[in-house]
Amino acid sequence: MRKAKRTCPPINGYHNENYILPLTDPLARQLGQEPGTSVIVRIPHQKVLPVVIRTWESEPEILRAIKGRLPNIPECLYAERDFAIHSCVQGVPLSSLGPGDKPVAAPLVDALTRLLAQMAHVGRDALPSLPGRWPDDGDTQGFLKSLAYTADVQIRCRNRARFSRLFADLGVPEDALPRFAENVPAMARRPFSLLHADLHRDNVIVTYGSRRPPLICIDWELATYGDPLHDLAIHLVRMRYPAGQLAKVVHAWARAMRTERPEAVAGVEKDLRHYVDFERAQSVYPDVMRATKSLAGSFDQKDLDEATASVEGALESAARPLGLKSVPSRSAIERALTRWRDSRPGRRNGTRLLHVARKFVYQPDRRVPEDPAFPRGAVGAALVLEGMAPKERVFTGTSHVNTVVRVPGTVSPVMVRRKLPGAGRPERSYLSEHAVLRAIRESGVAVPVPRVLAMGRGRRGGPFVIHTYEGPQDMSPPRHPVHGLSPYEADALVDQLVAMTQVDWIAIDPTEGRENFYPWLRDQLVESVRNLPKDTQRLAHILGLPDADRLREMLSGYLVTPRRPTLLHGSLNPWNLVRRSGPLALTIIDWDMALVGDPLYDLARHMHLTPTNPDLRRRMLARWVRGMGDAACRNVYEECEIYRRLELVRSAYVDLACLMSGTGRDAPNVRRAVAGYGTTLTTALGTLGLPEPRTARVNPYLTLALS
């Protein structure tokens, strides 16, 4: 069988690249499947660091051994040495359904612990041959000792030549894991069984419908045979349960295990901590080694800061179980990482000095003339300093990463703004941000916005824009009205929205003006729904959201008064407003979603995106009416509600797309949105007059995970 062609982007795991592909007719016949059936082609990464414990080398061998013994596993349809074809599970990873450290609903915890308990029925006779000198069944002390020795051999020793100096500088002795093994105490006897050994949010698929197994365990390559308490410890640590939920998970596991194999619960209260200690102890090696990956290529300060913080966390977690005398300070960790990086063969010290700015090569964008207050040399210096900026001066948004720097010889700090690689959002943009900002400033209206100082493309790093920094002069993070505006700030924002009606938007794009704005806005939403990825559309349908054509019908009954078009910001969420002193109160930033249309829409969308109580909403609308005059204010209260309903519906689709793809998850506005998706979905369905999803059709765990 020939290797499947890579006709779609990979879904990357740490050990494999996974390609979802439809089966062609000949291949479907060979595999006994229907033509067009989706399968997953798994191709092992060739240059991945050996940072895990493996009992068996072949995942297909494991899956074939346990086929028919567990209902919640994928099927291996075909395998060769360098790739395998698995059945494709229709669903979404649990990790996609909310932040990685959010509490897990109690019924979902019960289901996960039942998965672990069901493995207790798969014994040694069903599994591939074990390596020699495997501990006897029930010898839990011997099993944990064996894990520690195996981790030392398979992880530390295999990477010794490359990382031994680094671990020595970090204070981790070479015999740390053997010493851990020697100190494992006597433990209660428990019967051995199959263990998944890597059950966390990425490796649990929540299926769509309720007829198939609701949860599927994937990625069995690290499976082993031993004490079930080891599987529980791995699950507890890697699932990142909140501290207050850990005891409940242990109780749920014990309850499930008593039903399946009661003797496996013996000594759980006393012995579990030894396995948790081992998980934290051995994790210091992969965590430190993976952290160094960010130091490949250029050696930027923000990369070094991130690696330092990651290493510090790993050392703090492993310090007690490994018996480390102390954890080095951050500065000591940074020095150790720098020495390790600079000692690598063929590497040079990557630290950039400011004097290289004079030779920094970039291509200026002629649409933004050189600013006399920020000449070409200052631009080069800003780009050099961008790479050296500490992480507290790097702010990630939905589609941009923004780095604050201060160039010697200039008065104020500036922000270097770059598109995030691969950033995409379901909502499209319409106007060029630099042109919008220039038009606002040239109009002279009382709307404070950043000034564009330079724009271009670097030899490395791609396109960039440099703005004035609208936060504090000490370069600390800007202050946003995350919990809503004060009445004074609300008045100031309304005044700025009224002032924006005086901006000459025709100079930006003479084709954008449309007085009949609502039908256009509705059609743009409908088309964005039509263009969502197929998996997102499928899940939206299962959750009860209408498809594009039905959505158009449902939204076509609304009428909005045509108003004279004006420039709109398009996304006035709290993180796009910066608090400032003085009568203007707020600076509006991030204009990449700007458009031209009904001025009422900007106010309505702001009140949807920002916590706003009814009294403040009435205050803002009344001030807007006074500022705009009678011609623009017919039916304004009813029509503001129409726009609000449209935005409630939009959020149900946009937030689901972000949830499924993980796009923008580092941005605080996206984190807030996906964390509350259950409420968003329920509200949107109610707005459309639709019932909540029927539990007979939807996997109840999917609904719980979205709550």
Side-chain angles (χ1 to χ4, degrees), residues 16 32 111 126 177 196 217 261 415 511 518 525 541 591 600 668 677:
N16 297 279
L177 285 173
H196 182 279
C217 299
R261 200 168 186 183
M415 175 173 282
T511 68
Y518 174 79
L525 171 58
H541 172 71
W591 288 78
L600 181 60
Y677 185 73

Side-chain angles (χ1 to χ4, degrees), residues 600-659:
L600 181 60
Y601 174 67
D602 240 2
L603 181 59
R605 182 159 163 84
H606 163 75
M607 292 190 292
H608 166 69
L609 295 172
T610 305
T612 312
N613 63 48
D615 288 341
L616 193 63
R617 283 201 294 271
R618 286 191 290 269
R619 178 189 180 110
M620 296 179 78
L621 270 169
R623 191 176 184 92
W624 189 87
V625 167
R626 291 195 299 271
M628 292 293 295
D630 294 339
C633 296
R634 286 178 294 169
N635 307 317
V636 65
Y637 292 94
E638 297 86 349
E639 292 173 2
C640 186
E641 179 63 15
I642 291 173
Y643 280 130
R644 189 185 74 87
R645 292 184 177 192
L646 185 76
E647 293 309 302
L648 286 169
V649 174
R650 181 196 305 278
S651 291
Y653 292 97
V654 170
D655 295 352
L656 183 63
C658 292
L659 228 161

